[in-house]
Amino acid sequence: MNRRATIKDIAEQAGVSAKTVSRVMNDEPYVRDDIRERVKRVAAALDYHPNRNAQGLISSRTFLIGLTYERPSPSYVVDLQRGALERLAGERYRLVVLPFADAREDPAGLVALLRSAMVDGALLAPPSCDIPEVLDALDNSGIRYARITPGTMLERGSCALLDERAAGRAIAEHLVQLGHRRFGVILGHPGHAATSARLAGYRDAFAAAGIAPDDIRIERGDFTFHSGEAAAHRLLARTDRPTAILAQNDDMGAAALSVARALGLAVPDAVSIAGFDDADIARLCWPQLTTVEQPVAAIAADATDRLLKQLEGGELAAAITHPHRVIVRGSTGPAA
Amino acid sequence: MNRRATIKDIAEQAGVSAKTVSRVMNDEPYVRDDIRERVKRVAAALDYHPNRNAQGLISSRTFLIGLTYERPSPSYVVDLQRGALERLAGERYRLVVLPFADAREDPAGLVALLRSAMVDGALLAPPSCDIPEVLDALDNSGIRYARITPGTMLERGSCALLDERAAGRAIAEHLVQLGHRRFGVILGHPGHAATSARLAGYRDAFAAAGIAPDDIRIERGDFTFHSGEAAAHRLLARTDRPTAILAQNDDMGAAALSVARALGLAVPDAVSIAGFDDADIARLCWPQLTTVEQPVAAIAADATDRLLKQLEGGELAAAITHPHRVIVRGSTGPAA
DNA sequence: GTGAAAGCGCTAACAC
DNA sequence: GTGTTAGCGCTTTCAC
């Protein structure tokens, strides 16, 4: 096992000074092209990788970015990571994963986790991106952060946004246009800002269509399949059951699908069901789930980009609202 | 936000040398108790935290562990991460995620990624854990590693094992016992050792039951839902179609389920379908999928434990073979 | 027991 | 354009 090459090794072999090697490695100007080439060749031959401890010691940085989230669905987590890693490719920052059980209950614990992980910056997914104590502590500790689809305090930090309310309105309008007038809603986890925003969007669509509040049954869920099953049971086991169900994510939508099947209700003939997120499961269940696509990986990449800009000393860029898209599949159809 | 205190600050305030502070911080002997106390008090007052970059620069360690894998299903990735993080809780090591596109095609690229990330150790999931060039390069570079369910070269490195062949045999035996005699097999990605091991297990069961090779149709897949759909079509669209299908993971099993439904074949009355892995989707599809459970998180935790032991200078422990378990659900039934 | 000096690998500041 | 010097925060070596 041979020790890693250092700039000194390269300098010797290339017949230049260490500083020149450093210049080449950091793409700084003021190096002759032929020397630049030679140094690069030697570095490649020696399989040189810069020592981030040494770089960090000078700049007092760790080149570590932490991604925090609370056990949401696997495909959401993987999309988040994929987007962040895409943006990080070729950068010297590495992604540390830091799932956390319940940031709302223990905001200090989350910040302590980030501090002990010694990250330069954090990517905050919902719901921790909406917890003021977390943002306050981060501001104080000098850990930069970018917020992924926050629902509140949009002026704080740098945010990659989604118009959850408009997305909720869009999917509800799809069902209204199919002639539905009696709705069931399965809410997401109450701690997530998206839960109330999506509901507000549904209500926008209902109000515009003149649908009475009495014709809207709202059941609580928490984004899990299991909670969706229970909620769907409460909605579908009644005689005046809704003709359409709006579930706030696809896991719960798929759960509603399976409850309908168990109750002998044909989908979409007897009841239409729509989800949210366009997770893998939306395409894997049957009938496939009508849903709203959120470009999660692109959003994570955008947030990562914002974080990098801050870490490199740039200004906070104005937030971007990423587009959503209703995807109509087999689980929704005309009202009976 | 004022800069972090260093041992020099503490040394000055405590009226000792930097080295003495260092001794106290590392619980080294040869420091008078009263000085030790004084230094500790000053350190606490200054909210001192050692600079990991400086420590790492000397010890050439980073306290970073890299987890490598190739875009398998999200639930597998999340289980891997969960297991690794469970073992890492309370340790000073952090988990860096390093997905890699195709380690078999570019083994050097994977090792370069690990080196540039400066991890102390790597957790290698399939298929990279079975690529000799990767292991060779890691051995040379001084990056420790633990292998997650390898299928070959089991004597190399430290391994968390699974008996894929026995698991394959077990699920196939379940179908044989239900009276099935004509089988379809949907293989996983050809680059994964599990693909051939599971197939060998199926064949063990078939041979023991005296089933002729002509009654076994084998189709290639690559672990994706899409590949499973295509393979299931080829199996089920023929007149002498199998009465049972063995898919090498649950995504492809779910795909076979949806193809059967599209073709008007009742499951399990017309055709039985079994998956592999017990991923989330096995419980979310309908009928729920009979499958083989692999304790992925526990395996990842075991591999992490092995890696930590190596990093702390311990010996390689003997490999453990983790148990599998056939889970019978609604997708398999007696042969017609 | 304790401290001074050297150096880990790299880069900022400055000289040439 | 290029090299020299100094130093980031810490630990190792060795003198006292």
Side-chain angles (χ1 to χ4, degrees):
Chain A
M1 170 210 147
N2 33 17
R3 84 178 212 304
R4 293 168 67 118
T6 71
I7 48 169
K8 232 169 133 186
D9 301 325
I10 300 176
E12 251 168 58
Q13 280 219 22
V16 296
S17 76
K19 179 63 217 185
T20 297
V21 177
S22 169
R23 284 202 182 89
V24 173
M25 287 308 161
N26 294 297
D27 285 322
E28 280 170 35
Y30 308 125
V31 181
R32 253 169 39 211
D33 281 354
D34 58 326
I35 293 192
R36 193 179 289 277
E37 279 314 303
R38 180 148 44 105
V39 167
K40 279 190 173 165
R41 221 162 339 108
V42 173
L46 261 44
D47 191 25
Y48 170 76
H49 296 273
N51 184 318
R52 305 218 191 281
N53 277 327
Q55 292 182 321
L57 184 54
I58 294 166
S59 56
S60 51
R61 299 204 285 177
T62 57
F63 298 108
L64 253 30
I65 286 179
L67 173 63
T68 76
Y69 51 85
E70 297 186 13
R71 18 146 224 161
S73 67
S75 65
Y76 180 76
V77 171
V78 169
D79 281 346
L80 278 183
Q81 294 181 0
R82 188 161 48 82
L85 287 166
E86 268 165 19
R87 179 60 188 83
L88 252 27
E91 305 279 349
R92 5 178 215 189
Y93 290 88
R94 296 151 293 182
L95 189 70
V96 174
V97 290
L98 300 166
F100 193 75
D102 192 339
R104 202 164 292 275
E105 194 166 274
D106 182 18
L110 174 58
V111 177
L113 181 69
L114 283 164
R115 295 193 57 161
S116 81
M118 304 234 352
V119 298
D120 290 338
L123 295 167
L124 305 176
S128 54
C129 64
D130 280 316
I131 302 173
E133 291 86 348
V134 169
L135 304 186
D136 291 342
L138 254 23
D139 284 339
N140 280 327
S141 70
I143 297 176
R144 308 304 194 131
Y145 58 88
R147 302 166 67 203
I148 295 171
T149 65
T152 58
M153 309 172 288
L154 303 189
E155 73 293 349
R156 293 193 65 169
S158 193
C159 305
L161 296 177
L162 219 38
D163 192 340
E164 300 275 10
R165 183 167 181 165
R169 176 169 188 156
I171 186 82
E173 274 172 350
H174 161 69
L175 288 167
V176 165
Q177 276 159 17
L178 285 169
H180 293 278
R181 288 292 175 276
R182 212 161 55 243
F183 288 88
V185 169
I186 304 179
L187 296 177
H189 193 288
H192 283 65
T195 296
S196 50
R198 291 174 186 181
L199 177 59
Y202 297 162
R203 286 194 163 129
D204 290 343
F206 297 152
I211 292 167
D214 276 359
D215 286 331
I216 304 159
R217 299 254 158 227
I218 296 175
E219 294 288 346
R220 297 179 64 156
D222 63 7
F223 288 134
T224 64
F225 187 87
H226 185 73
S227 77
E229 269 183 315
H233 250 296
R234 294 194 294 272
L235 288 170
L236 293 175
R238 36 194 309 148
T239 50
D240 61 336
R241 63 166 184 271
T243 67
I245 290 182
L246 287 157
Q248 289 201 338
N249 79 351
D250 290 334
D251 280 28
M252 298 192 300
L257 228 44
S258 101
V259 168
R261 190 166 34 217
L263 293 174
L265 297 169
V267 176
D269 297 337
V271 58
S272 284
I273 296 172
F276 222 109
D277 290 348
D278 193 31
D280 288 341
I281 184 159
R283 259 158 300 128
L284 303 189
C285 56
W286 191 262
Q288 293 189 333
L289 211 52
T290 292
T291 188
V292 188
E293 185 204 13
Q294 315 252 44
V296 175
I299 290 167
D302 177 29
T304 308
D305 186 59
R306 289 164 185 285
L307 184 55
L308 289 183
K309 291 229 170 71
Q310 286 182 66
L311 291 172
E312 302 301 339
E315 282 306 293
L316 295 195
I320 291 178
T321 298
H322 292 262
H324 58 264
R325 189 162 59 93
V326 172
I327 299 180
V328 178
R329 298 207 181 92
S331 70
T332 54
Chain B
M1 175 211 150
N2 34 16
R3 88 175 210 306
R4 295 164 61 127
T6 71
I7 49 170
K8 230 170 132 185
D9 300 325
I10 300 175
E12 250 168 58
Q13 279 220 22
V16 295
S17 76
K19 176 64 217 180
T20 298
V21 178
S22 169
R23 285 201 181 90
V24 173
M25 288 306 155
N26 295 297
D27 284 323
E28 280 170 36
Y30 308 127
V31 180
R32 256 171 34 213
D33 281 353
D34 57 327
I35 293 192
R36 195 179 288 278
E37 279 314 305
R38 181 148 42 104
V39 168
K40 280 191 173 167
R41 222 164 336 110
V42 174
L46 262 43
D47 190 27
Y48 171 77
H49 295 276
N51 183 317
R52 299 276 164 99
N53 278 326
Q55 291 182 322
L57 185 54
I58 295 164
S59 60
S60 49
R61 298 216 288 175
T62 57
F63 296 108
L64 252 29
I65 286 179
L67 173 63
T68 77
Y69 52 84
E70 298 186 13
R71 19 151 217 153
S73 66
S75 65
Y76 180 76
V77 171
V78 169
D79 282 346
L80 278 184
Q81 294 180 0
R82 188 161 46 83
L85 287 166
E86 270 166 18
R87 178 61 187 81
L88 252 27
E91 306 279 349
R92 12 176 211 186
Y93 290 88
R94 296 149 292 181
L95 189 70
V96 174
V97 290
L98 300 166
F100 192 74
D102 192 339
R104 202 164 292 275
E105 193 167 273
D106 181 19
L110 174 58
V111 177
L113 182 69
L114 284 164
R115 297 193 56 164
S116 83
M118 297 222 20
V119 297
D120 289 340
L123 295 167
L124 305 176
S128 54
C129 63
D130 281 315
I131 301 173
E133 291 87 347
V134 169
L135 304 186
D136 291 342
L138 253 24
D139 284 338
N140 281 325
S141 70
I143 296 177
R144 308 306 194 126
Y145 58 88
R147 302 167 67 205
I148 295 171
T149 65
T152 59
M153 310 172 289
L154 303 189
E155 73 293 350
R156 294 193 65 170
S158 192
C159 305
L161 296 177
L162 219 39
D163 191 339
E164 299 276 9
R165 182 168 182 163
R169 175 168 189 155
I171 186 83
E173 274 172 350
H174 161 68
L175 288 166
V176 165
Q177 278 160 15
L178 286 169
H180 293 277
R181 288 294 176 275
R182 211 161 56 243
F183 287 88
V185 169
I186 303 178
L187 296 178
H189 194 286
H192 287 240
T195 296
S196 50
R198 291 174 186 179
L199 177 59
Y202 298 162
R203 285 193 163 129
D204 290 343
F206 297 151
I211 291 168
D214 275 0
D215 286 332
I216 303 158
R217 299 255 159 225
I218 296 176
E219 294 287 346
R220 296 179 65 158
D222 63 8
F223 288 135
T224 63
F225 187 86
H226 186 74
S227 77
E229 269 184 315
H233 250 295
R234 294 193 294 271
L235 288 170
L236 293 176
R238 35 194 310 147
T239 50
D240 62 335
R241 63 165 186 271
T243 67
I245 290 182
L246 287 157
Q248 288 203 336
N249 79 351
D250 291 334
D251 281 27
M252 299 192 299
L257 228 44
S258 102
V259 168
R261 189 166 34 217
L263 293 173
L265 297 168
V267 176
D269 296 337
V271 58
S272 283
I273 295 172
F276 221 107
D277 289 349
D278 194 31
D280 289 341
I281 183 156
R283 259 157 300 129
L284 304 190
C285 56
W286 190 262
Q288 294 189 332
L289 211 52
T290 292
T291 189
V292 188
E293 185 203 12
Q294 314 252 45
V296 175
I299 290 167
D302 177 28
T304 307
D305 187 59
R306 289 164 184 284
L307 184 55
L308 290 183
K309 291 226 170 73
Q310 286 183 66
L311 290 172
E312 302 302 337
E315 283 306 294
L316 296 195
I320 292 177
T321 298
H322 292 262
H324 58 263
R325 190 162 59 94
V326 172
I327 300 180
V328 178
R329 298 208 181 92
S331 71
T332 55

